[in-house]
Amino acid sequence: EPEVTQTPSHQVTQMGQEVILRCVPISNHLYFYWYRQILGQKVEFLVSFYNNEISEKSEIFDDQFSVERPDGSNFTLKIRSTKLEDSAMYFCASSSGEDEQFFGPGTRLTVL
Amino acid sequence: DQQVKQNSPSLSVQEGRISILNCDYTNSMFDYFLWYKKYPAEGPTFLISISSIKDKNEDGRFTVFLNKSAKHLSLHIVPSQPGDSAVYFCAASAGGNKLVFGAGTILRVKS
């Protein structure tokens, strides 16, 4: 069964450093998303991406964040200068249309 | 952001009995609702969904009921199995795109 994959599973970084979280969405999906879950809090929407551009973003997704689909398979989330409060689980998701979104296993980001 | 609420942090059910998980929402623009199951250190796994034009959707042991007038939906699991023990999230969307999640309910199925 096709699934969304994410790498790395755990990323530890120093405050102020750049990180890139990688995702491989399900191959025939056209819509891509990033969500995050800070420990003990809800899963929060960050950004959606369709047709090679951002279709919606939340208030969390400020200028420190960017997304890219550099080739036909990868979808990346970059945080330019990490802050302590960026520590969270980051989930990538994809969908074929405006319906069910399928999530990856997540990347645990720890900012020290 | 309290647009989607799951007021029960946890639920404990005996194996073989029915589990009923509840979810309330406030945004009348929501037109699609989903339930996800999540194990620790894993991503949410899609379970079942329902469009606002329906009031019930069934898939095997899982049934979702939607009451639009009350802005309430519920997930029924019958019969409950120990493997169903997980965190269950209700989510909603308006016109596709982003999902708004509830806080989750921890379900424990005792054998």
Side-chain angles (χ1 to χ4, degrees):
Chain A
E1 185 174 324
E3 57 184 18
V4 177
T5 59
Q6 290 185 243
T7 54
S9 57
H10 191 188
Q11 175 86 49
V12 181
T13 189
Q14 294 291 324
M15 189 170 56
Q17 295 297 303
E18 174 183 288
V19 294
I20 298 176
L21 309 183
R22 291 182 166 80
C23 169
V24 179
I26 294 173
S27 62
N28 62 343
H29 284 183
L30 301 175
Y31 297 80
F32 314 113
Y33 312 84
W34 284 100
Y35 292 81
R36 78 173 186 189
Q37 186 179 27
I38 294 171
L39 187 64
Q41 297 186 23
K42 292 184 179 183
V43 176
E44 304 173 286
F45 168 79
L46 291 178
V47 65
S48 59
F49 192 85
Y50 170 72
N51 201 25
N52 276 323
E53 60 182 26
I54 290 173
S55 46
E56 187 173 356
K57 60 183 180 179
S58 71
E59 293 175 354
I60 304 167
F61 195 89
D62 61 21
D63 291 344
Q64 293 300 311
F65 291 86
S66 62
V67 290
E68 193 178 33
R69 188 155 163 81
D71 53 41
S73 60
N74 290 284
F75 180 51
T76 62
L77 174 69
K78 182 193 291 187
I79 309 175
R80 285 189 189 82
S81 178
T82 50
K83 303 188 273 287
L84 294 176
E85 54 265 37
D86 293 328
S87 295
M89 283 292 290
Y90 287 80
F91 296 107
C92 174
S94 69
S95 67
S96 57
E98 295 177 348
D99 49 21
E100 299 86 26
Q101 295 179 21
F102 294 87
F103 285 75
T107 293
R108 180 186 303 279
L109 176 64
T110 302
V111 182
L112 302 175
Chain B
D1 183 351
Q2 292 290 314
Q3 294 186 75
V4 178
K5 298 182 206 179
Q6 293 177 256
N7 291 319
S8 299
S10 65
L11 173 68
S12 188
V13 170
Q14 198 66 35
E15 180 180 6
R17 305 295 291 268
I18 184 171
S19 295
I20 300 176
L21 298 128
N22 293 302
C23 178
D24 296 294
Y25 63 95
T26 56
N27 187 344
S28 56
M29 299 301 291
F30 286 147
D31 58 4
Y32 199 71
F33 305 89
L34 308 91
W35 284 94
Y36 286 85
K37 173 181 177 180
K38 187 179 181 302
Y39 295 114
E42 294 185 12
T45 300
F46 170 73
L47 275 178
I48 192 167
S49 60
I50 187 166
S51 163
S52 60
I53 63 173
K54 295 185 175 182
D55 54 19
K56 177 182 174 181
N57 189 26
E58 194 172 349
D59 184 2
R61 296 187 298 116
F62 302 93
T63 302
V64 56
F65 295 91
L66 175 62
N67 181 334
K68 287 191 292 295
S69 60
K71 292 191 174 69
H72 177 83
L73 64 155
S74 61
L75 174 69
H76 293 210
I77 306 173
V78 182
S80 302
Q81 299 172 353
D84 295 330
S85 297
V87 181
Y88 287 78
F89 291 98
C90 169
S93 71
N97 227 346
K98 73 175 188 184
L99 295 179
V100 179
F101 281 83
T105 296
I106 300 170
L107 174 65
R108 295 187 186 92
V109 180
K110 299 175 289 188
S111 56

